Amino acid sequence: MEDRPAARWIAKRCILWIIAVLCNCVLAIPARAQQQPLPEDPEDEKLFGLWLDQGISTGLSPNTSLEMEFHERLDEGASSLFEYFFQGGVGFRLRPWFTLIPIYRYQRYPGNPGIEYENRLQLNLTLSASHGPWKPILRTLIEGRFPDNRPASARLRFRPGFEYTLPIHTARRPVFVLNNEFFIVPWTNPFANGGSIFTQNRFQAGVRLPIASSTSVRPYYLVQSVNLPTGWDTNQIIGISLAVKIARKTR
């Protein structure tokens, strides 16, 4: 009988502890929800970067070709592989000045805690016309993005620019390449941004150096700016692009 007051005291203490734990759990739910803002776009470069691009094109017919590309992107002073992807499609040269390429891309983000991979469906519409050494180009990319754990979204990418064949007396003349790409998300954007449909900008300048009749390398300099809630995040990138064209065999 003497142990009953002690037992009651222990029971009351246990009940109070249980109530306190439950209250803490309930209060933690909204706090956790407030700590989960939209993630940044995993394409955002960090610090100085190095981009490596490899493209292979092979003719299927006089007006069609198979296009394949491999890309590796390193950031944080070119010390971290933060993104790599493969894409492929069939190019249709509908007019001498108009090329259409439907593309599928598979993209990985190693080390990203929010997104592991992404599937994309793209439609490349390229307009170009040569005027002597000058070649103005307008590429429009209609892009559907399907990340592994975010809602699907659509994006438009406009890249006006030009190519200029340098007046150098060599068998294969180098070509100066300059363009600027605008990224527009006109509908739902599942990634954090600065409240505008204009989400990213890439300014690029480089020189394409022919190595052989079917191979060229293009070193380039790129400035990437991404619209984040805290403002525009701008980083610099050095890139090296390798392009190989495989001629179609004729019988």
Side-chain angles (χ1 to χ4, degrees), residues 31-53:
R32 178 173 294 182
Q34 293 174 1
Q35 294 174 0
Q36 291 182 344
L38 291 176
E40 294 183 11
D41 194 317
E43 286 184 331
D44 186 20
E45 177 84 21
K46 298 298 182 184
L47 303 178
F48 189 83
L50 173 65
W51 291 7
L52 304 175
D53 317 314

Side-chain angles (χ1 to χ4, degrees), residues 63 92-100 124-131 135-140:
N63 294 319
F92 300 92
R93 192 171 180 83
L94 304 180
R95 293 289 187 274
W97 45 268
F98 178 46
T99 302
L100 181 149
N124 182 333
L125 310 171
T126 300
L127 305 176
S128 63
S130 297
H131 300 280
K135 185 178 182 180
I137 302 174
L138 172 61
R139 190 193 75 170
T140 300

Side-chain angles (χ1 to χ4, degrees), residues 136-149:
I137 302 174
L138 172 61
R139 190 193 75 170
T140 300
L141 204 62
I142 304 171
E143 189 172 56
R145 304 181 63 181
F146 304 90
D148 62 332
N149 63 352

